[in-house]
Amino acid sequence: ISGVLSETQADRFYLDSLKYSTLYENIKEEFQRRYLNSDGLPNISTQASYLMALKFGLLPETAIGKAREVLRKKITDNGYKLSTGFLGTSILNQTLSAEGMDDLAYDLLLQRENPSWLYRVDSAATTIWERWDSYTKEGGFNKHPWIMNSFNHYSYGVVSEWMFRYVGGIEADETQPGFKHIILQPTPDFRTAFPTGQKRITQAKASHLSGYGRISSEWQYKEDGRISYTATVPANTTATLYLPLMEKTDNITESGKDLKEAEGVDFKGIVDGKAVIELQSPTSSTWKREAPTVWKKVRPQTYAYIPTPSVTGSIFLAAKTSAMPVSRLATGKSCIASTVVGTSTRLLGHPASTW
């Protein structure tokens, strides 16, 4: 925060940023001395310990890959269920997506056995409970003393942050606060294997009413297997879109032209299996492109981007075939979580029974 607030290298915010950076490095060094084994992995082996270590960058670089593997195994060996409390759950799905494990995040979201979010929905809950087992179908309400068993306790509802930032794909850019610049990182459900009883989410829609106007992001699987993506970028803002691709070697064009020649669209290249595209909004109206704005497979290794401008987001269809599976959208972007909390927003899943 101090670094964001700083305007010159002489102001107090810059000096504070140096102080806190040094403090972080000292804490990281002490954490590794006290709480890591010789292999660089946590000496307390729980889902939460691995989540915390990965989330806050406390592991040596050589141990990060193995830590991801261990965390994945802890979740799958637990029947694709979480075993986290307030602190671990607060960063659970966000960390999984940031570490390239979107599939596991979806597995946890759609889990119906206890502990899970949908176990509560299936138990007719209309609020978030303090404990995962505040009520169970087998034991009712009697497991915990009433003085420590709230049924209106938001903490575990933090999964909604992940739903906005990753499923819906509306992300804050902490270097340009207030959504002056928007990061769009839609993360469709690309799973090809599912825990028992689960199905793919086939559409999602999210919106945020920023100071510049409404930001919206929506994706949907089409009947032919393609994925359409629509985004609304308010006037006087810019956005960076991270759009998943089928292959890194795909040639992306707009109406047969290179994206670098497209008005209001600046193609930056392919990074980690996704096209990085800068979107410019007009200064006086909301920017939108409607169908047929399509990412369409016109020949092997080629996509066409066909725009039809109007006045109010933009639609992209990403081709998908069984012969060429879509790669998972990597994210790796940080954000200020509170920017998407408590706003006029909506996120829809399909089929509705999975929510």
Side-chain angles (χ1 to χ4, degrees), residues 324-339:
M324 299 180 64
V326 177
S327 60
R328 182 169 59 242
L329 172 61
T331 53
K333 293 287 180 180
S334 61
C335 89
I336 302 172
S338 61
T339 57

Side-chain angles (χ1 to χ4, degrees), residues 46-311:
T46 64
Q47 289 182 16
S49 68
Y50 277 86
L51 288 165
M52 291 288 180
L54 287 167
K55 170 68 175 179
F56 297 113
L58 297 174
L59 300 177
E61 289 293 328
T62 55
I64 292 176
K66 181 61 177 178
R68 292 170 180 154
E69 294 176 8
V70 173
L71 177 58
R72 174 178 286 276
K73 191 172 189 301
K74 285 186 173 297
I75 293 173
T76 57
D77 286 357
N78 195 41
Y80 294 92
K81 292 182 288 188
L82 53 80
S83 61
T84 51
F86 285 175
L87 298 181
T89 305
S90 70
I91 61 171
L92 176 56
N93 280 25
Q94 300 91 312
T95 303
L96 290 174
S97 281
E99 297 297 329
M101 293 181 277
D102 299 316
D103 59 324
L104 273 185
Y106 273 108
D107 292 341
L108 292 175
L109 178 70
L110 299 182
Q111 175 61 252
R112 309 198 86 97
E113 296 182 7
N114 196 40
S116 71
W117 292 281
L118 291 186
Y119 182 85
R120 301 175 176 202
V121 175
D122 292 340
S123 300
T126 57
T127 56
I128 298 293
W129 306 340
E130 178 180 9
R131 299 173 181 270
W132 291 115
D133 58 354
S134 286
Y135 167 85
T136 61
K137 297 173 183 177
E138 299 78 17
F141 299 96
N142 301 318
K143 185 172 182 178
H144 301 288
W146 67 270
I147 56 174
M148 284 293 290
N149 196 15
S150 168
F151 282 82
N152 190 10
H153 210 92
Y154 173 74
S155 184
Y156 293 140
V158 72
V159 68
S160 63
E161 178 198 332
W162 172 76
M163 294 167 74
F164 279 104
R165 291 176 54 197
Y166 291 96
V167 180
I170 299 176
E171 174 69 289
D173 182 350
E174 61 187 32
T175 66
Q176 299 187 57
F179 291 96
K180 178 63 176 174
H181 179 259
I182 305 155
I183 296 172
L184 298 171
Q185 52 178 24
T187 309
D189 185 355
F190 287 143
R191 293 176 299 166
T192 57
F194 306 89
T196 302
Q198 291 192 22
K199 296 180 180 180
R200 173 178 287 122
I201 292 179
T202 59
Q203 66 178 26
K205 181 178 181 179
S207 65
H208 171 69
L209 187 59
S210 73
Y212 296 94
R214 185 173 298 277
I215 304 163
S216 67
S217 178
E218 178 180 6
W219 55 263
Q220 181 178 16
Y221 274 90
K222 297 298 184 181
E223 292 183 358
D224 60 6
R226 296 182 299 170
I227 300 176
S228 68
Y229 176 68
T230 307
T232 300
V233 178
N236 301 302
T237 66
T238 59
T240 302
L241 170 63
Y242 296 87
L243 188 70
L245 296 179
M246 296 172 65
E247 296 291 338
K248 291 182 180 180
T249 54
D250 287 341
N251 180 32
I252 305 171
T253 61
E254 180 193 16
S255 301
K257 299 179 181 179
D258 192 283
L259 282 183
K260 294 180 180 179
E261 302 175 10
E263 183 179 356
V265 178
D266 186 5
F267 174 63
K268 296 296 185 180
I270 307 297
V271 178
D272 295 332
K274 56 189 179 288
V276 182
I277 304 169
E278 298 291 343
L279 304 177
Q280 302 292 328
S281 178
T283 58
S284 59
S285 64
T286 304
W287 179 77
K288 186 172 185 179
R289 295 180 184 230
E290 298 180 335
T293 301
V294 178
W295 291 96
K296 184 175 66 175
K297 195 75 177 285
V298 295
R299 61 179 184 274
Q301 306 303 322
T302 301
Y303 282 81
Y305 167 69
I306 310 168
T308 302
S310 87
V311 289

